[in-house]
Amino acid sequence: MLERPDGADLLATAREVVLSDLLPALPAEKAFHARMVAAAIALALRERGTGTADVEAALQDISPDLATLATAIRAGTHDPGTPTHEAVAAFLREYARLRARVSAPKALA
Amino acid sequence: MTPEAQSRLRNWLAHATGDASLRIEGVTRLSGGAIQQNLALDVTTRGAPARWVLRTDSDATLAVSLSRPQEYATLRAAHAAGVTVPEPLLLCEDTTVLGRPFFVMARVDGIAAGHRVVKDSALGGGREELARALGRELARIHAIRPPRADLAFLGDPPEDAARAAIAAMRARLDAAGTPRPVLEWGLRALERRAPPPAAPVLVHNDYRTGNIMLDAHGVTAVLDWEFAAWGDGHADLGWFCAKCWRFGNVAQEAGGIGPRGAFYSGYEAASGAPVDRDRAAWWEIMAHIRWAVIAADQAVRHMSGQERSLELALTGHIVPELEWDILAMAERL
């Protein structure tokens, strides 16, 4: 219904302009800002392509919400040796992986 | 700086140095942090040029950091203890001069920027040698011990620095209000394995690549003392070696600069005491958690509208990577 190219295409194209056309022409003290703009666009594009449903469903298996989970962890409810320890550890890995895939995918390499 | 402010500054400097003929030749902004402002100050005094730095608060001040007069006192203590710092010269607490307190210190040459430092393997006589020098430097800081009348503003040392750090991080998470189950997981793991209290020393609390000026011969200045506090010296060892402060050069475990072993051996040689490896590892996890808490708070400054900034916004996106590393480290603790 909406005109194309879509937002993702426009963002990706804009990022190329920043990196290929603008960055080489900028003085050194502004290059940092151009790189930040490119990084922000790349991050926003990764976020668009990331579904959170699986990890949200996995959360429901161990806790009603993140706040309740955080409080329980602090209280020691999921310490090693408790029946829920492994399940919570596995969830936290998935939760961190999902967010790192958007925010810092290189960290997962 | 307005011409009026510069004129007030000149008059104050002339009075403070006892040189009525002191002239300001130039004032230029140096790259500063979000909290402090550093100005390069070139003057002629007693017929000779002098190169100084004027350090003052920027608009955004952070309640958790030391005030400029307190930072000045800390810098003097460090200078007297033989730590390589810019020589502290003058302190002005009269806010009619520049609107806020400031101090003046010697201007030192060198490079500090993390991404440059970790790429330059010739700095400080090579990676091994520089890592050892950085260890020696840190040991000198830790030789400053309480009680000290000149550092009374630091308060009493915590009875148990490890547990105090856990409580402080939890308080900041609670104040921020965003649930962070991974950071809670890391803090709970640290709580279960907290080391017993150690004799308190002066902890720099931001001793890392990026805050230390270096040249071909070694350390030229340890900078940014505003987070100094009494505590466990291993907190600085852990902060320096933390993966998140290696600026991508992760194989060089001492700040992306050199080998951890060389850093520890320099520290041990100068302090005369062994580095407790387990204790340092504990504080290294705490370093990741502390940086995650700070980074999350920086994003909030952006999101709340207090200070709209792309840099602050992107800093918040460091948190997931830190959490990924914290989970792996907590597993091995």
Side-chain angles (χ1 to χ4, degrees):
Chain A
M1 189 179 290
L2 300 176
E3 194 60 42
R4 295 176 67 193
D6 65 6
D9 184 319
L10 290 173
L11 283 173
T13 309
R15 182 168 176 273
E16 273 311 304
V17 172
V18 171
L19 289 175
S20 305
D21 297 341
L22 297 179
L23 185 58
L26 287 172
E29 70 272 17
K30 293 289 176 193
F32 174 60
H33 292 94
R35 284 199 198 90
M36 284 200 299
V37 169
I41 293 173
L43 198 154
L45 282 169
R46 288 194 298 272
E47 186 182 87
R48 278 177 64 106
T50 300
T52 59
D54 288 352
V55 176
E56 277 171 37
L59 172 63
Q60 294 308 311
D61 292 339
I62 58 163
S63 181
D65 55 46
L66 290 172
T68 309
L69 178 62
T71 304
I73 290 169
R74 186 183 295 191
T77 310
H78 304 301
D79 275 0
T82 63
T84 50
H85 177 77
E86 285 306 324
V88 171
F91 166 75
L92 292 178
R93 276 193 294 275
E94 285 315 303
Y95 172 65
R97 192 198 315 270
L98 170 76
R99 290 156 62 249
R101 206 181 288 142
V102 171
S103 300
K106 282 183 200 155
L108 301 175
Chain B
M1 187 177 292
T2 64
E4 295 76 21
Q6 191 162 320
S7 159
R8 287 195 304 274
L9 174 62
R10 192 220 75 86
N11 292 342
W12 185 85
L13 291 170
H15 177 75
T17 59
D19 171 18
S21 69
L22 181 143
R23 275 202 322 271
I24 294 179
E25 308 292 355
V27 182
T28 48
R29 217 195 139 126
L30 294 168
S31 60
I35 321 296
Q36 276 80 37
Q37 232 190 84
N38 295 314
L39 302 172
L41 188 60
D42 288 291
V43 302
T44 300
T45 176
R46 299 192 166 82
R51 299 164 75 242
W52 294 343
V53 169
L54 186 157
R55 184 161 162 92
T56 186
D57 293 325
S58 57
D59 295 326
T61 57
L62 217 61
V64 293
S65 72
L66 298 181
S67 70
R68 266 355 82 223
Q70 292 168 346
E71 192 183 3
Y72 182 77
T74 309
L75 203 54
R76 282 177 64 104
H79 189 254
V83 182
T84 310
V85 291
E87 186 183 355
L89 300 170
L90 303 163
L91 169 69
C92 176
E93 298 187 80
D94 177 355
T95 56
T96 63
V97 181
L98 293 184
R100 49 198 97 179
F102 64 88
F103 64 79
V104 174
M105 56 188 169
R107 192 150 93 236
V108 173
D109 292 321
I111 63 166
H115 63 280
R116 287 183 61 193
V117 166
V118 301
K119 286 194 188 106
D120 190 342
S121 57
L123 276 175
R127 295 190 178 281
E128 287 260 352
E129 192 44 51
L130 183 54
R132 252 191 299 276
L134 287 160
R136 288 195 298 269
E137 202 63 50
L138 187 56
R140 281 183 215 119
I141 298 173
H142 293 169
I144 302 170
R145 311 222 158 163
R148 291 275 299 240
D150 57 332
L151 302 176
F153 55 85
L154 294 176
D156 292 330
E159 278 181 22
D160 185 332
R163 290 187 187 278
I166 293 169
M169 290 302 112
R170 285 175 172 164
R172 283 183 73 166
L173 286 172
D174 290 346
T178 301
R180 301 265 177 204
V182 176
L183 300 186
E184 295 287 356
W185 187 260
L187 285 168
R188 178 65 189 159
L190 290 179
E191 188 171 48
R192 289 192 303 265
R193 298 289 182 91
V201 300
L202 185 71
V203 178
H204 180 284
N205 265 332
D206 207 3
Y207 190 85
R208 62 163 175 87
T209 301
N211 283 340
I212 303 165
M213 209 172 260
L214 307 164
D215 72 6
H217 307 290
V219 178
T220 62
V222 178
L223 305 172
D224 293 318
W225 290 79
E226 69 261 30
F227 300 112
W230 300 126
D232 183 339
H234 292 78
D236 279 338
L237 290 161
W239 188 251
F240 190 84
C241 291
K243 187 179 158 203
C244 53
W245 291 124
R246 295 180 202 160
F247 290 86
N249 197 18
V250 294
Q252 300 291 350
E253 294 187 3
I257 286 176
R260 183 190 294 265
F263 177 63
Y264 282 3
S265 74
Y267 183 87
E268 289 172 335
S271 69
V275 170
D276 178 337
R277 267 59 178 175
D278 291 341
R279 193 180 280 271
W282 190 96
W283 281 103
E284 203 163 319
I285 300 178
M286 180 57 87
H288 285 76
I289 294 175
R290 177 169 168 237
W291 177 216
V293 166
I294 294 169
D297 282 352
Q298 292 197 354
V300 170
R301 268 168 61 199
H302 165 77
M303 289 187 287
S304 69
Q306 190 190 350
E307 188 186 347
R308 297 291 291 176
S309 150
L310 182 54
E311 187 173 7
L312 292 178
L314 288 172
T315 300
H317 280 279
I318 294 172
V319 175
E321 175 175 2
L322 292 168
E323 291 190 348
W324 182 249
D325 290 336
I326 288 163
L327 285 176
M329 286 187 293
E331 193 87 9
R332 295 193 298 264
L333 185 67

